[in-house]
Amino acid sequence: MLGVWRKFKALAGHRLILELAILGSFIALALNPGSLGDIMRICGAIFLFHVLIGNYRIGDITEGHLVVLGIFLIVLLINGFMPDEMIHRRSLRYFLTLPGMILAIHCLSKRTNPDSRTLLFYGSIAVLALTIQFIAYHTVESVLNSGGLESYGLSGNMHHFGSIASLILPVLFYFSTQIKGWLRFLCLAGVIVAFYLLWESSSRIAWVAFFSSILIAILLFLRNRKLLMGLAGFFTISFIAALVSGLAAIQNRIMDILSNWRTEERVTVWADTLNMLGYNSVKDWLFGHGIGSFRYYFPDYNTFKVDGKVVNWVFPHNVFFQIIFENGLIGLVTILGGVVLLMIGIWRGYHQLEHKSDRYLLVTLFILFWINFIHCALTLSFYHKYFIYPLSVIIGILLILLEKTGQNKPLQSLNWFQSCTNFLTDKMPVLNRWLTKRNIDT
């Protein structure tokens, strides 16, 4: 029986299993979003198994991970004081997957002999996912166009479709700077295709999120000649893709929001949300009403109608209003404090990382973070899987990069943790399996 357990532990605890699960989560986001939540939970479960068998030790956790866990626990603790019937279970389940995904990525990074072809493999998967989305878009469009409907590929609406295109675009560009050979040209072609799908999505929120994030990154991290070249390349590729997609349709979408923004549905919902917040008690302002609770309170204040009928809204399409209502000012300050700390770490890390490839990756993750955040701020619930999943992957990889700079130290290198570990292992030697550092087999 012991031999069977060892074989099972060697198989289930192999790094390839965890790597395939994390890769599967990316494929789910790009191609089959319905399964994304389940795969995120699987990644968290595999991570816990690695902890159980001693492949990942508590000492491997870094200071940055402790900050993330602290923010997570504060929000969860606030939520614990709210009535159960006011908690949206699915939103809570998505939120619970956040630390598991971040730590699963960190666990994967601890492999001692990473395959040198890993980047090539990941780049191929990204190109393949974009190709399938492109084919699906035109296949569905050929079927729906006759009925006057729009195609969103494998996505449910224009905003999800635009979000996927805007998120995969910087990833492909990063791969094109790191991969040599024929796949580099495929990645560059993928950049143009992703631009095309972004324009075709007709999602103005996705456009704003993408272009504002790119411009902020260029102004912050590029200087002089590189800045001019970056701006020139960025706008050239964007214009080519827009030209292929159709400049007239893009212009119509932009002019529509400029001339009709006062009657835009979000403006009405925001006004109703502010009216609802006006009835908050002191306790409500501090602690909120619970994760996902907006959908249960808002119908009493909703005035938005289409053809004379009230349209229900399950979140306010404004992440700040949502956090204030559901998690209170304490939750808002805690979450925004974490964002500020992360941005400070990125700025310092950019100047401390030695390898150019690491700096490129850091800037790419900075862009992805703000694309995801801005898109969520105006389109999604803060607890939606389309926001939680990219956020967990971005933070997970960022904490690994910041660990290289020395900003984000593992607990096992800190004196207080070593003292606590020595005390506990002296009293309970069985804790050696989880507290001390151990080499991880590939």
Side-chain angles (χ1 to χ4, degrees), residues 188-249:
L188 288 173
V191 169
I192 296 177
V193 172
F195 254 124
Y196 170 75
L197 294 180
L198 177 61
W199 289 124
E200 286 291 293
S201 71
S202 297
S203 172
R204 292 171 300 212
I205 303 300
W207 297 347
V208 170
F210 177 79
F211 285 102
S212 59
S213 301
I214 293 288
L215 287 175
I216 291 171
I218 289 176
L219 294 174
L220 280 179
F221 298 110
L222 298 182
R223 293 290 182 271
N224 303 327
R225 187 169 59 91
K226 290 183 178 180
L227 174 61
L228 295 176
M229 291 176 62
L231 284 172
F234 171 66
F235 285 114
T236 299
I237 296 177
S238 176
F239 178 77
I240 292 173
L243 191 64
V244 174
S245 177
L247 290 174

Side-chain angles (χ1 to χ4, degrees), residues 127 172 175-177 179-193:
V127 171
L172 286 173
F175 283 144
S176 71
T177 66
I179 297 174
K180 298 180 180 180
W182 57 271
L183 188 57
R184 168 178 289 183
F185 296 100
L186 284 182
C187 288
L188 288 173
V191 169
I192 296 177
V193 172

